[in-house]
Amino acid sequence: MRVSLFVPCFVDQLTPQVGLATAKVLKRLGHAVEFRSAQTCCGQPSFNSGQWDVAREGALRTIEVFRGAEVVVGPSGSCVAMIKKFYPELLKDTPHLAAAEDLAARTFEFSEFLVNKLGVTDVGAKFAKKVTYHDGCHALRELRLKEEPRQLLRAVKGLELIESEEGESCCGFGGLFSAKFPMISTAMVQVKGGALARTGADFVVSSDPSCLLQIGGWLSREGKPILPLHIAEVLAHDA
Amino acid sequence: MADARSDILARIREALQVKAPKPHFKAEETAGQPVKIAKPWLPDGGETTEASLLILAEQLAKLKAVLIRVPDETAAGQAVADLARSKAWKQVAYHGAPLVRPVAAALPCPAWEADASFEKQKLEGCDASITSCESIVAQLGSILVSSASSGGRALSILPHVHVVVARVDQVVPDLATAIALMQAVHGEKMPSMLSFITGPSRTGDIERILVLGAHGPKELYLVLVG
Amino acid sequence: MSDAKQIFIKDATLNAADGDQRAFIRKALGGYYVNRDLQKARYRDWERARDAASLAKWTAVNDLANQLEKFTANFERNGGVVHWARDSAEARAIILKIAADVNAKAIVKSKCMTSEEIHLNDALEKAGYGVVESDLGEFIQQLRGEAPYHFVFPCMHVKREAISELFTKHLGTAPTDSPEELTMIARRHLRQLYVDADIGITGANFLVAETGQISITENEGNARLTAALPRIHIALSGIEKVVNRLDDLAVLLPMLATAGAGQPMTCYNTLYAGPRKPGECDGPEQFHLVLLDNARTRLLADPEQRDALHCIRCGACLNVCPIFKNIGGLAYGTTYQGPIGSVITPHLRGLKQWNHLSSASSLCGACTDACPVRIDLHHHLLHNRRNAMKQSPSLFDRAFHAGFGFVMKRPTLFGLGGKVFRATLPLLKKLPLPYMSAWLKTRDLPAAPAQSFREQWKDSDHG
């Protein structure tokens, strides 16, 4: 299969290794991977801020960028949910609805793609560490992905998966929410990050780089001995 | 200016000019009434009488209500009399129903047929009340009382203890059946009050800690005859 | 910035920093989660049951005028009197007039959020009536002179020590740290008040069109007493509480209890059909129902968010909301707190004043999953944000997103912008920039990589 990568802005600018790891795993499974460099942002910050006109332009651009792609795979539940769930909503009363639904049907979150589309749970990774998993809210509740990432992690050689309290609680990122209401966002990450740290895991793994930015940023500030890691980075680990 | 009723109804009709999408589930399932399509999804009330009675007993125990099974009316009177002695009731109010009168007559303390000569201040001073009921819902452990079958509105709620005397055949599997039965019995002439009682009165208002007997009865007994 | 928003930011900031209080709220809700899950497990299919519950409310709300007409005709056939109120002032005036007509002195109330919405107690007290809240939580909040913290659990934020002090001060009782004893103090105090009151005021959870009955859900028995002992019963309800059929309640009553309180059913689910009937030994002489619009028809006119009127006020969305749990119910400044309050308050009281509640959400969606009638709560927060931006966009927001949109359309500029951003990040972190400095107050940002993904990527490596 020829996979077109959908790389979130965060990943592009702050954690490029997540994008590279995603590609590495897909290539290891025998798929060709391309990156269409005309892509920018999916428009979610504007969408969430109520600026639907700006978001709509972003949606139309993204639809154009991925025209003809066999499948589009993104290492982010949040950005993929934007395409799969919210592009059709944004474009529902326009002539572009069919194109939005077409892209939505071809687009997958990384763990969703591996488990549900390819039927793969063991990607041949080794990672002898204790990890706990954080469900990003978009992956969990917009895309209904809960077991998929866990199946992948359980198949990683040497990896010990520990569930945390507050398992389904939000980390408090919420895009611009984290900066517009920093006190509420911080209270939320205190609850979530505290529970993650109490697991005693070496790493907190998630399919969402934006949650990891929030959780990792707080854990780092508090000096907690647990590091953020994207699931693609775990799955890319083979030594 | 139009009256409020016409105004509000006009606003509603205006607002509903634009249709809202129907909840999105499978078409064949939206044709039925909610209660009918929901039946297989709601908690089980038992397919047989035996199954229902088992569920009922389990539910009542969880609710901290006490179920007393007795073979006949004499035994019912005995059981309630024992209760009265052990709890040292001084005054009991009861509902003048055929199933209740003999039980009240067997009490070792004064008993007052409250619905025959109702006085709220007197009722306030009673230790316990004894009533009959309309039906009992196994699925949820609920007892349906009414102003018709349970001696008015206050009798089953004001005293500190409430004893319900009922026959086993008054147990129905689920809430839907109890409601259908209620409608079949009363039709358009519903009693002015019908109440599903599910366990003794309770509150969690202080620190979400369960306390029984907030305002209504602290103890609830179901004496099931047969 | 609206006044309401300023107060919200101030209170939310204060409460979010109170770790002790936040832990207390989480602990109080702990038992609820356990019980809720136990009860949900008894449903043979909880998710499908939610479909049925949602259908019951959808059917009623989308035929509201006809169902209300049917309901009122049946209610009056049962011997009750219906009053219609376009707004709070009309509703208060109706109730004050009834109180004057029957020459009332003392009024006992059971829990009714609609009465909080219309500020009924103030009006009654100003007119010289003694008004007592009988629900334990509401009674405590009345003594505290504070609005309910949670529309189902009104005083869940108050510790037992504070309640003990409150009772000592107002009722002269001895201090105790037992919730049981505190409950009994209130029980003893309120008992005679039911007997002496002239009017009992209740809310209504459901209005049954088919039979003209109103349904009241409670645990304590105070609503039962309120509707049994005083000689006049007045119920106050929003117009949206209608269900078409009596048997809809066979779905809605258990689900309300399970979602809201983790119970199979609440203790008392009572249907009232008129005042005392001939042959009945007790009950009120008159039964009045006040039906309130108060901008509900404005929400009804928005088909996108009309499902918010399906709300059965179970409070499940508050119980799972991380915002609610961290800022507390009082910070909202609304009658209805939590996600449902954030959705409906802008419709009821103005989008410009109240949109900040829709913005103050990470959109995590826990509320939508918890809602027994499937209200699309967190997406409605997005809809409110969009509507607010259409109505009165702030200059800053407009400029910020216009700039953002401009860059996003130009991949080269985006790449370049990213490069500059990464290069200057150490410097940016030191500047008092909006957003950035708010973030950095409590969280670090990772060091920027030398090269972005797009700079490192070569298709040829991955063919």
Side-chain angles (χ1 to χ4, degrees):
Chain A
M1 212 171 278
R2 187 165 180 81
V3 178
S4 197
L5 280 185
F6 168 45
V7 176
C9 333
F10 280 117
V11 171
D12 186 23
Q13 296 300 323
L14 288 175
T15 53
Q17 69 276 15
V18 171
L20 295 169
T22 305
K24 184 175 167 187
V25 173
L26 292 169
K27 195 184 170 197
R28 193 202 289 150
L29 293 171
H31 302 282
V33 185
E34 62 169 27
F35 174 72
R36 300 189 178 186
S37 61
Q39 64 183 276
T40 57
C41 170
C42 63
Q44 187 172 185
S46 301
F47 179 71
N48 284 356
S49 300
Q51 303 270 357
W52 286 25
D53 292 336
V54 179
R56 211 168 275 122
E57 290 178 27
L60 291 175
R61 264 204 87 250
T62 306
I63 288 170
E64 211 40 61
V65 166
F66 289 113
R67 194 172 291 283
E70 188 181 357
V71 286
V72 177
V73 174
S76 161
S78 183
C79 303
V80 168
M82 184 65 205
I83 292 184
K84 283 181 90 75
K85 293 265 302 213
F86 299 120
Y87 279 11
E89 159 125 24
L90 263 176
L91 298 169
K92 76 178 163 203
D93 296 319
T94 73
H96 307 289
L97 177 61
E101 285 175 340
D102 173 55
L103 176 60
R106 285 182 286 128
T107 303
F108 300 88
E109 185 275 327
F110 178 57
S111 70
E112 175 190 28
F113 180 69
L114 295 178
V115 177
N116 298 344
K117 180 77 178 172
L118 298 181
V120 174
T121 50
D122 186 347
V123 299
K126 289 178 206 151
F127 194 64
K129 296 285 180 191
K130 283 191 281 190
V131 310
T132 184
Y133 191 77
H134 163 71
D135 291 286
C137 296
H138 276 108
L140 183 67
R141 282 182 276 260
E142 299 292 352
L143 301 177
R144 300 287 167 198
L145 302 172
K146 175 150 178 127
E147 274 311 304
E148 289 82 352
R150 287 172 174 78
Q151 283 176 274
L152 290 164
L153 289 175
R154 282 194 208 101
V156 174
K157 286 185 191 61
L159 184 146
E160 185 189 343
L161 180 62
I162 310 168
E163 294 290 348
S164 68
E165 307 156 42
E166 300 286 342
E168 295 192 353
S169 294
C170 176
C171 69
F173 178 65
L176 287 174
F177 164 78
S178 63
K180 283 183 180 171
F181 297 91
M183 68 293 175
I184 309 178
S185 172
T186 299
M188 288 162 74
V189 77
Q190 283 168 353
V191 172
K192 183 78 200 196
L196 294 168
R198 280 195 301 278
T199 61
D202 306 307
F203 294 94
V204 47
V205 176
S206 179
S207 67
D208 234 307
S210 45
C211 302
L212 289 172
L213 196 70
Q214 162 92 346
I215 295 169
W218 182 80
L219 290 170
S220 157
R221 178 63 59 92
E222 298 293 315
K224 305 272 185 196
I226 171 171
L227 294 168
L229 198 62
H230 193 275
I231 189 167
E233 296 177 83
V234 176
L235 299 183
H237 225 272
D238 49 11
Chain B
M1 191 166 76
D3 67 301
R5 176 192 161 107
S6 320
D7 246 12
I8 294 171
L9 288 171
R11 287 180 195 170
I12 294 171
R13 293 210 156 90
E14 164 88 31
L16 291 176
Q17 292 289 314
V18 188
K19 298 290 171 216
K22 210 167 180 176
H24 43 274
F25 25 94
K26 293 173 201 153
E28 73 268 23
E29 282 159 359
T30 57
Q33 297 149 11
V35 71
K36 291 204 174 135
I37 61 168
K39 200 175 167 67
W41 307 329
L42 295 174
D44 189 15
E47 296 294 321
T48 63
T49 309
E50 281 316 301
S52 293
L53 285 171
L54 275 175
I55 295 171
L56 175 66
E58 198 181 315
Q59 289 307 307
L60 289 173
K62 283 187 198 154
L63 291 163
K64 302 187 195 310
V66 180
L67 173 66
I68 303 172
R69 299 281 306 265
V70 293
D72 52 35
E73 291 179 27
T74 315
Q78 197 60 50
V80 179
D82 289 347
L83 206 55
R85 264 187 291 272
S86 73
K87 303 270 171 183
W89 293 342
K90 290 183 192 67
Q91 172 84 42
V92 173
Y94 69 94
H95 164 50
L99 205 55
V100 178
R101 281 203 183 103
V103 171
L107 282 170
C109 62
W112 161 53
E113 188 170 318
D115 45 335
S117 59
F118 185 80
E119 272 178 67
K120 54 187 175 183
Q121 196 64 59
K122 187 173 174 187
L123 185 63
E124 201 280 318
C126 289
D127 299 304
S129 68
I130 310 174
T131 73
S132 57
C133 70
E134 303 251 332
S135 62
I136 297 152
V137 182
Q139 177 193 36
L140 305 162
S142 306
I143 300 166
L144 177 61
V145 300
S146 76
S147 43
S149 69
S150 306
R153 297 192 182 196
L155 186 59
S156 58
I157 191 74
L158 189 58
H160 305 279
V161 178
H162 180 204
V163 179
V164 180
V165 184
R167 295 183 318 274
V168 161
D169 62 16
Q170 287 181 281
V171 176
V172 300
D174 55 21
L175 191 53
T177 313
I179 288 174
L181 187 66
M182 178 204 296
Q183 289 187 289
V185 169
H186 300 291
E188 292 204 334
K189 294 200 167 61
M190 289 284 182
S192 77
M193 184 214 75
L194 284 145
S195 189
F196 290 97
I197 298 177
T198 310
S201 158
R202 63 197 58 207
T203 185
D205 273 349
I206 300 174
E207 300 188 6
R208 306 298 316 137
I209 293 166
L210 177 69
V211 175
L212 297 183
H215 293 280
K218 212 174 166 59
E219 297 169 33
L220 175 66
Y221 298 89
L222 173 62
V223 180
L224 212 47
V225 182
Chain C
M1 202 186 280
S2 73
D3 296 347
K5 183 175 179 180
Q6 275 182 31
I7 297 168
F8 173 79
I9 299 260
K10 184 173 140 282
D11 290 353
T13 305
L14 214 60
N15 298 348
D18 186 344
D20 180 46
Q21 181 66 25
R22 285 162 50 212
F24 178 77
I25 294 297
R26 275 204 307 283
K27 181 164 178 281
L29 285 169
Y32 158 79
Y33 299 132
V34 173
N35 291 329
R36 176 201 60 189
D37 291 346
L38 282 172
Q39 291 304 331
K40 271 168 77 171
R42 286 199 65 226
Y43 283 73
R44 286 169 285 185
D45 193 334
W46 172 259
E47 293 305 316
R48 306 304 302 277
R50 291 172 72 205
D51 290 344
S54 141
L55 177 66
K57 283 302 297 185
W58 184 91
T59 312
V61 166
N62 284 282
D63 188 29
L64 190 58
N66 295 331
Q67 295 300 328
L68 273 174
E69 284 185 321
K70 190 170 164 190
F71 168 77
T72 51
N74 284 328
F75 186 88
E76 289 176 344
R77 183 178 51 76
N78 289 331
V81 184
V82 178
H83 308 263
W84 298 73
R86 279 168 283 222
D87 53 33
S88 302
E90 283 191 356
R92 288 192 302 261
I94 291 164
I95 294 169
L96 284 167
K97 178 161 188 319
I98 298 169
D101 286 351
V102 301
N103 200 15
K105 288 186 182 60
I107 298 174
V108 65
K109 284 181 70 203
S110 74
K111 196 159 169 305
C112 172
M113 291 314 295
T114 318
S115 81
E116 300 283 344
E117 180 184 332
I118 68 167
H119 303 290
L120 181 60
N121 288 8
D122 278 355
L124 290 170
E125 278 162 8
K126 276 198 192 106
Y129 299 100
V131 186
V132 180
E133 293 286 352
S134 59
D135 171 86
L136 177 59
E138 292 281 340
F139 176 66
I140 291 167
Q141 288 307 92
Q142 189 183 26
L143 291 182
R144 285 170 64 85
E146 193 173 73
Y149 181 92
H150 178 300
F151 60 73
V152 178
F153 311 142
C155 70
M156 68 178 295
H157 63 305
V158 187
K159 293 181 180 145
R160 62 185 81 179
E161 296 78 19
I163 297 170
S164 174
E165 271 174 40
L166 191 72
F167 284 2
T168 302
K169 182 175 158 204
H170 291 272
L171 311 176
T173 51
T176 170
D177 62 358
S178 151
E180 161 103 26
E181 182 46 30
L182 289 167
T183 304
M184 292 311 127
I185 291 171
R187 178 185 172 101
R188 287 191 290 270
H189 175 76
L190 286 162
R191 249 174 123 67
Q192 193 58 38
L193 300 177
Y194 297 111
V195 177
D196 295 338
D198 308 292
I199 297 181
I201 297 180
T202 69
N205 293 84
F206 300 100
L207 313 172
V208 185
E210 180 186 23
T211 59
Q213 293 163 303
I214 71 165
S215 172
I216 300 180
T217 288
E218 54 152 347
N219 269 316
E220 298 182 359
N222 60 308
R224 285 275 312 269
L225 289 163
T226 301
L229 299 173
R231 58 192 165 89
I232 310 293
H233 178 190
I234 303 174
L236 170 64
S237 169
I239 52 173
E240 81 285 12
K241 299 283 178 76
V242 178
V243 292
N244 295 10
R245 304 170 51 92
L246 185 59
D247 60 18
D248 288 340
L249 299 186
V251 180
L252 292 167
L253 294 178
M255 294 188 70
L256 167 61
T258 294
Q263 292 176 265
M265 279 277 263
T266 51
C267 258
Y268 303 101
N269 284 282
T270 311
L271 291 157
Y272 293 101
R276 172 182 184 174
K277 286 199 162 61
E280 293 182 345
C281 69
D282 64 353
E285 297 152 20
Q286 297 176 20
F287 182 21
H288 298 267
L289 173 68
V290 181
L291 284 175
L292 178 69
D293 177 355
N294 215 20
R296 284 162 176 75
T297 44
R298 202 149 62 197
L299 180 50
L300 189 73
D302 180 352
E304 193 173 48
Q305 295 190 50
R306 188 177 293 159
D307 67 354
L309 290 169
H310 298 183
C311 178
I312 56 175
R313 302 282 186 266
C314 71
C317 60
L318 282 68
N319 298 345
V320 299
C321 177
I323 310 294
F324 175 84
K325 286 191 276 183
N326 284 311
I327 69 171
L330 299 172
Y332 288 82
T334 56
T335 307
Y336 307 101
Q337 312 79 14
I340 184 67
S342 299
V343 168
I344 65 175
T345 305
H347 295 265
L348 304 182
R349 294 170 69 181
L351 183 59
K352 205 171 168 176
Q353 276 281 316
W354 295 97
N355 178 56
H356 58 277
L357 296 179
S358 300
S359 300
S361 165
S362 65
L363 303 169
C364 81
C367 48
T368 305
D369 273 9
C371 177
V373 291
R374 290 201 184 282
I375 300 170
D376 202 4
L377 288 161
H378 74 296
H379 293 146
H380 291 336
L381 298 176
L382 278 166
H383 299 142
N384 279 342
R385 294 182 189 186
R386 177 202 59 201
N387 296 347
M389 209 48 84
K390 263 191 209 156
Q391 197 186 73
S392 49
S394 84
L395 214 57
F396 174 78
D397 275 327
R398 231 171 12 186
F400 182 87
H401 288 278
F404 181 73
F406 184 85
V407 177
M408 288 311 131
K409 271 184 272 186
R410 294 162 178 81
T412 320
L413 188 58
F414 176 75
L416 191 69
K419 208 168 184 155
V420 173
F421 169 75
R422 279 179 285 115
T424 56
L425 187 57
L427 175 67
L428 295 177
K429 286 180 182 176
K430 294 194 184 87
L431 297 176
L433 294 171
Y435 297 163
M436 177 75 90
S437 53
W439 172 279
L440 286 171
K441 213 166 161 200
T442 53
R443 292 150 292 191
D444 292 335
L445 269 180
Q451 280 191 307
S452 67
F453 175 84
R454 64 183 66 230
E455 286 164 342
Q456 297 180 49
W457 179 263
K458 289 183 194 72
D459 268 356
S460 54
D461 291 347
H462 298 82

